[in-house]
Amino acid sequence: MITANIPENEEERLRVLSTYNILDSLPEEDYDAIAKIASSICNSPIALVSLIDKDRQWFKAKHGLDAKETSRDFAFCAHSILNPEELFIVNDATKDERFFDNPLTTGSPNVVFYAGAPLNTSEGFPLGTLCVIDNKPRELNQSQKDSLKLLAKQVVTLLELRKKNYELLESNKKATKLNEQLNNFAYRLTHDLKSPISGVNFLVDVLKEDHIKLFKDTEAEECVNLISNRMIYMSRLVDDILEYTRVNAEHIVFEEFNVKAILESILSNIDFENKIVLISNDLDINIKSSKIGMVQVFQNLISNSRKFSNEDKVNIQVDFKKDKTHFHFIYKDNGPGIEEKYWKRIFLMFETLENSNNENTGIGLATVESIIKRLGGTIYVKDREDRKKGVSFHFSIKHT
């Protein structure tokens, strides 16, 4: 018996093989099917998808054989990968000096005929073979040889697809972990900031209520009021960051709800001055999505309309339609509108309009976009189609 030489690029070949995370994996139907097809085309009782590890050959798929692996020293496939551009064929192992006394020839599974097509990666590294085996001398015709090569390429395609799926899964795991760490950090940071902010607010209130005479009608009074306003802004900023963090971290719960009912509920909770008028029709509809998410979306939009309105009455219109995959909403108000140069920027964290007041932290619309993306949709802003004054948000969410 002659043991196969070790390829010159063996160290790199083994490294590439390890990147596929395929060794010792569970059986997969696609690989088993290819082995069965190869066996049928070549009229052979045994067909294998064999991968050559450092000291063994391991079978990802096997047809007509129970063994899971053998020693690399005995492997016919170890010879095959030495010439990765060619089929490796042994018509009669009993008459071949390399294999006549090989334990796989003299004993089970009695390999007499062998034909292996190397499994070459896109970088040119042979990972193993798709091989067919018989226990009697054989030859393959040209059609069978061509078919074996084509099936070997299909195995490599499956390996590449499996590798990409694994890499994507690992990337998603890393991204999820990083997002969790970022959200936890943001939550802890903002939560820890609330206490000192509350303390400063208390001291400012004490100054304004108990010691106002010390700096009444002076520059100091103006500074105290400025500090008070900025601390109110800081408190609101912390609350908005906490809300954004929670929105991106919490598990989405899907349930059926009525669109008109949640809009009316929002108005009853924020419109104490009876300033907002909802003029939409056809909203008495039930949809299934994240009720909490949609409440947050509409609450942010309505609050912004109320906050920035320069009208006696805030007119809000919500139009709805659906198609096979999405629910579509158009939200319009009669406020000052948004200049086109800001249409994309307003959804970025901490982006505010040049003429916005100190109440705006630039997080609300980022939160809205984040919710809608998690619900499988998109959002954008444009001028009202009726050319009236105001803003028009177009957004969609996927059916569940």
Side-chain angles (χ1 to χ4, degrees):
M1 184 185 78
I2 299 176
T3 302
N5 293 327
I6 300 298
E8 293 181 359
N9 61 355
E10 179 67 358
E11 184 177 342
E12 184 68 7
R13 190 193 69 82
L14 289 174
R15 187 196 64 78
V16 171
L17 174 60
S18 69
T19 65
Y20 286 83
N21 290 283
I22 190 75
L23 293 172
D24 299 311
S25 60
L26 295 174
E28 296 179 54
E29 185 177 348
D30 290 339
Y31 297 94
D32 292 340
I34 291 177
K36 188 174 182 180
I37 292 170
S39 172
S40 177
I41 290 174
C42 297
N43 298 316
S44 63
I46 297 174
L48 307 168
V49 174
S50 174
L51 299 170
I52 303 301
D53 199 4
K54 182 179 180 180
D55 299 311
R56 60 172 177 159
Q57 67 169 344
W58 177 80
F59 306 132
K60 174 58 183 173
K62 53 188 186 294
H63 176 77
L65 185 69
D66 292 330
K68 295 181 179 179
E69 61 182 52
T70 71
S71 169
R72 179 171 176 169
D73 291 340
F74 306 148
F76 284 58
C77 297
H79 292 265
S80 181
I81 65 171
L82 296 176
N83 296 289
E85 301 305 320
E86 302 175 7
L87 284 176
F88 182 74
I89 298 177
V90 179
N91 298 115
D92 188 348
T94 63
K95 298 179 180 179
D96 191 308
E97 64 176 357
R98 296 168 296 180
F99 305 110
F100 74 95
D101 57 349
N102 188 306
L104 300 180
T105 299
T106 60
S108 179
N110 304 118
V111 180
V112 175
F113 168 79
Y114 171 93
L119 305 175
N120 297 323
T121 69
S122 56
E123 302 101 323
F125 294 101
L127 304 182
T129 69
L130 169 65
C131 64
V132 291
I133 295 170
D134 206 335
N135 53 16
K136 60 184 179 181
R138 287 276 312 280
E139 289 187 1
L140 295 181
N141 59 40
Q142 191 58 49
S143 177
Q144 290 171 322
K145 293 177 182 178
D146 292 340
S147 296
L148 196 59
K149 289 180 180 179
L150 290 173
L151 288 172
K153 289 182 179 180
Q154 185 61 33
V155 172
V156 174
T157 299
L158 289 176
L159 290 171
E160 297 287 354
L161 180 61
R162 189 181 189 281
K163 179 181 179 182
K164 286 183 171 60
N165 287 339
Y166 180 83
E167 290 172 347
L168 180 61
L169 180 62
E170 290 301 302
S171 295
N172 285 338
K173 287 180 179 178
K174 290 179 181 178
T176 299
K177 185 175 181 179
L178 288 173
N179 282 334
E180 289 176 353
Q181 292 173 342
L182 180 61
N183 287 335
N184 289 335
F185 171 76
Y187 180 83
R188 290 195 302 270
L189 178 62
T190 51
H191 188 272
D192 291 345
L193 284 173
K194 290 183 73 69
S195 180
I197 288 174
S198 297
V200 174
N201 278 332
F202 174 76
L203 293 174
V204 171
D205 288 341
V206 169
L207 286 173
K208 292 174 69 175
E209 294 178 9
D210 298 342
H211 304 284
I212 189 67
K213 292 181 180 180
L214 294 176
F215 43 78
K216 182 68 175 175
D217 298 326
T218 66
E219 186 178 347
E221 181 183 17
E222 187 177 325
C223 290
V224 169
N225 289 332
L226 179 60
I227 292 172
S228 179
N229 290 335
R230 297 317 295 167
M231 294 311 299
I232 291 173
Y233 172 81
M234 282 288 292
S235 180
R236 185 175 292 111
L237 181 64
V238 167
D239 288 339
D240 286 352
I241 293 175
L242 280 171
E243 176 67 11
Y244 182 85
T245 302
R246 186 178 66 82
V247 162
N248 285 279
E250 69 181 6
H251 177 67
I252 299 177
V253 177
F254 294 96
E255 58 186 305
E256 189 171 293
F257 59 90
N258 185 276
V259 176
K260 182 178 180 181
I262 67 169
L263 287 171
E264 291 177 345
S265 175
I266 293 170
L267 293 179
S268 67
N269 284 303
I270 69 173
D271 188 25
F272 300 114
E273 301 171 346
N274 198 28
K275 186 178 180 180
I276 302 173
V277 179
L278 181 64
I279 57 176
S280 298
N281 299 315
D282 302 323
L283 291 180
D284 191 12
I285 49 172
N286 292 334
I287 66 173
K288 188 174 183 181
S289 185
S290 169
K291 180 179 179 180
I292 294 176
M294 292 306 293
V295 167
Q296 290 169 321
V297 167
F298 279 115
Q299 187 165 284
N300 268 287
L301 295 177
I302 293 172
S303 294
N304 280 345
S305 294
R306 181 177 178 276
K307 186 187 304 179
F308 299 111
S309 176
N310 51 11
E311 303 289 337
D312 294 334
K313 289 290 185 180
V314 181
N315 295 329
I316 292 174
Q317 181 175 339
V318 180
D319 298 327
F320 170 85
K321 67 177 181 178
K322 66 177 181 178
D323 56 28
K324 293 181 179 180
T325 59
H326 287 77
F327 299 118
H328 300 273
F329 296 88
I330 301 177
Y331 175 95
K332 294 176 280 190
D333 68 18
N334 64 336
I338 299 174
E339 294 182 59
E340 185 174 351
K341 64 181 180 179
Y342 296 113
W343 286 356
K344 292 182 179 179
R345 286 177 52 191
I346 59 172
F347 297 109
L348 301 176
M349 285 279 285
F350 307 116
E351 284 286 348
T352 59
L353 303 184
E354 292 175 357
N355 59 350
S356 64
N357 54 38
N358 288 336
E359 295 183 19
N360 185 24
T361 62
I363 300 177
L365 289 177
T367 302
V368 166
E369 184 183 48
S370 180
I371 293 169
I372 289 172
K373 283 185 175 180
R374 291 194 72 194
L375 296 178
T378 57
I379 183 170
Y380 61 91
V381 65
K382 60 186 295 187
D383 290 328
R384 291 181 55 149
E385 293 180 354
D386 55 14
R387 300 300 178 187
K388 291 183 179 180
K389 177 185 174 184
V391 71
S392 179
F393 286 96
H394 297 244
F395 63 94
S396 62
I397 57 174
K398 284 189 74 171
H399 296 174
T400 58

